[in-house]
Amino acid sequence: TVDSLASMFDSLGIRGGESVEVNRDMVEAAEQILKALTALQEEGQTLRAYIHSFVTTDSRDTLAQARASELSQRSVILVQLGVRLTAWIGSLDVEQLIARSSLAKEHAFLLRHEKKEAEHLMSPTEEELAAELEPSGGTAWNRLHGNITSQLLVSVETDAGLVDMPMSAVRNLAMHPDRETRRRGYEAELAAWERVAVPLAAAINSIKAETNVLSGRRHWASPLEGALFDNNIDAPTLDSMTTAARDSFPDFRRYLRAKARLLGVDALAWYDVFAPAGESERDWQYSEATAFIVQQFGAYSSKLSDFAARAFRENWVDAEPRSGKRDGAFCMKLRADESRILANFVSSYDGMSTLAHELGHGYHNLNLAQRPALLRTAPMTLAETASIFCQTLIKEAVLADTDSKEQIAILEASLQDQNQVVVDIMSRFLFEQRLLEQRTQRELSVEELNQLMLQTQRETYGDGLDQDLLHPYMWAVKGHYYSVYAPFYNYPYMFGLLFGLGLYARYQADPDQFRLGYDDLLSCTGMADAADLASRFGIDLRTRGFWDASFDIIRRDVDRFEALVDEFVDRGSTGAS
């Protein structure tokens, strides 16, 4: 339990201070702590996932909300102990410890990472105070955002009159084939966000202020510097990737303009971005989608296929959208090799693709399960590796056996997703970067937040979208903004997409050789930084070459999509409108 761990820390003198000699007693203390943390991590992971599964699927479950609050309070002690442990590791000669203990050697990357983090700790008193205030600070603001957005009912004008829908269902209208329905959903959504904008602006302003304060107190040059450390990459890697991303914007705008031609409009509005395009004759019902995923995963390996079949057979997936349930999709570890997936499944290729993506996260967890509990982690930069790979497996399988109309639909769905992960993510990255900078001076009003969001959307989407029909409230939509623990959630998704595409290209070049090392790579994401793992595949993340090659895969799909659209439109046909 947390209390017994605290007692152990006290008895062993686990706290920061002057340098400590790594003698036999210190080695035994380190091993005792590592074993206790391992046991607590395994138990705590299951408990957190169990409670979170209730809170995210029904925010009106008051018992689950109460238990989540209790767990948050108990976690304060764990955070404080973690700070003490980091400070203690900072006082040790970690290399001596690793040399003298096989258990420490197994956890070498973790210990070296903690040694570095110790350089960025506040005083013990300040760290304890920050941990005690967190449940009523950033965590409370985050919970407010989750509760408001999951319970928000939106009045949408339909042919049958006004209908109240949960926000998740309204946002799903963006994928409706009828443009008028999409427009009504978009306008109703913006009106709904406007109604709750004041408390959400208070939440995001408070969270970003807390992030700035803690970052400065911990001697990071900026919150971004701390985020890069947490995600195990460096500034040259980020700069190379984002520079390549900016150079790809004209290609994504080509895709968006081609989609506009397919839909028969002069320019895409924001509510057209997720519109179905092409003439897919398959709506991919849930049962059909799950069967296809299992079959196609089997083309890669029986291990991957068996995993997906087990997930569906044992009902690991909560698939349906409903009131009180969080929007979007995610996968979380439950225990050992088990995961649980939240989805808001829509009967479309996109719905199936998202499901395959989340199963990829579960497969990553499956491979991590062979490692000690403290090493079953992945920084956000590497957390998308398996999900992108699985998503790409499904895309290529569908494209390999379909006609040109279906190819248009599949390519469009893939490019739509990649546009979100590159162009839209970059707009959100720039928004967060500028918000944090401006928040050092004062709070931003709702209107200022809206204008900042629009500015970054225009900067990234350019003439790919109608500049007068964007989404000023995207800062309210995205729950990732509302976390003190993970600022700059956004760029790691881009990293994950491009890293996953690069690995898939290597799989295509030599499937057998790739299979020999892929599962091991997934199992090691908590044991090495991104550059070290990438080097196993001959990748240099700090140069443009790798990133440009990954974007070349996307550019080829844009070329193919444009050609198919031109041929389709020239024949006098149009897609969904």
Side-chain angles (χ1 to χ4, degrees), residues 156-408:
V156 182
E157 183 68 41
T158 70
D159 293 339
L162 282 176
V163 176
D164 288 339
M165 300 181 183
M167 179 57 79
S168 58
V170 174
R171 286 183 53 75
N172 279 343
L173 291 178
M175 293 175 272
H176 198 281
D178 177 62
R179 194 176 198 227
E180 179 63 14
T181 299
R182 296 196 301 272
R183 183 191 65 78
R184 291 175 180 175
Y186 163 80
E187 292 177 352
E189 181 193 345
L190 293 188
W193 289 123
E194 184 178 6
R195 293 201 313 271
V196 297
V198 171
L200 295 184
I204 199 169
N205 271 296
S206 298
I207 285 171
K208 296 314 174 190
E210 182 176 344
T211 297
N212 278 330
V213 169
L214 292 176
S215 175
R217 290 279 185 170
R218 289 171 176 148
H219 306 293
W220 294 109
S222 68
L224 179 57
E225 184 186 37
L228 290 174
F229 174 77
D230 289 340
N231 285 303
N232 295 341
I233 68 170
D234 53 23
T237 297
L238 178 67
D239 291 343
S240 292
M241 182 184 72
T242 54
T243 301
R246 287 181 181 275
D247 289 345
S248 76
F249 290 168
D251 298 294
F252 281 104
R253 292 166 189 167
R254 284 195 295 127
Y255 147 67
L256 292 168
R257 289 193 293 269
K259 180 169 182 174
R261 293 197 299 275
L262 188 63
L263 296 180
V265 298
D266 292 334
L268 295 182
W270 188 274
Y271 53 80
D272 296 318
V273 170
F274 296 105
E279 295 188 6
S280 175
E281 297 179 355
R282 305 184 69 172
D283 61 1
W284 295 103
Q285 293 294 316
Y286 185 74
S287 59
E288 183 183 11
T290 57
F292 186 83
I293 288 172
V294 171
Q295 179 185 13
Q296 298 306 322
F297 279 7
Y300 172 74
S301 74
S302 58
K303 179 180 177 181
L304 179 58
S305 178
D306 291 345
F307 166 78
R310 179 189 177 194
F312 296 133
R313 183 176 64 252
E314 297 182 5
N315 296 318
W316 292 3
V317 183
D318 186 316
E320 64 175 356
R322 59 183 179 273
S323 178
K325 181 179 175 181
R326 294 282 177 93
D327 193 13
F330 65 79
C331 174
M332 61 181 176
K333 291 188 286 290
L334 177 64
R335 56 177 172 255
D337 59 352
E338 290 185 46
S339 297
R340 292 296 183 267
I341 293 171
L342 177 142
N344 284 275
F345 186 81
V346 177
S347 298
S348 66
Y349 169 79
D350 183 64
M352 178 174 68
S353 180
T354 298
L355 195 55
H357 180 101
E358 299 305 333
L359 284 165
H361 285 301
Y363 186 71
H364 194 162
N365 294 338
L366 175 73
N367 284 284
L368 285 170
Q370 64 183 280
R371 303 298 181 185
L374 298 179
L375 303 178
R376 296 174 195 161
T377 62
M380 288 181 66
T381 42
L382 297 174
E384 297 298 309
T385 303
S387 56
I388 296 299
F389 186 82
C390 286
Q391 202 170 1
T392 307
L393 282 175
I394 294 302
K395 183 194 80 171
E396 295 300 325
V398 176
L399 285 174
D401 186 27
T402 189
D403 60 23
S404 60
K405 292 181 180 180
E406 190 80 17
Q407 287 180 41
I408 288 176

Side-chain angles (χ1 to χ4, degrees), residues 20-29 92 96-97 100:
V20 178
E21 179 186 357
V22 181
N23 53 29
R24 179 182 296 178
D25 289 341
M26 287 299 100
V27 171
E28 290 179 355
L92 301 177
Q96 277 194 36
L97 178 61
R100 296 186 61 174

Side-chain angles (χ1 to χ4, degrees), residues 11-36:
S11 65
L12 294 174
I14 304 300
R15 56 179 54 85
E18 298 298 323
S19 297
V20 178
E21 179 186 357
V22 181
N23 53 29
R24 179 182 296 178
D25 289 341
M26 287 299 100
V27 171
E28 290 179 355
E31 291 183 342
Q32 189 175 349
I33 291 295
L34 285 171
K35 291 174 182 176

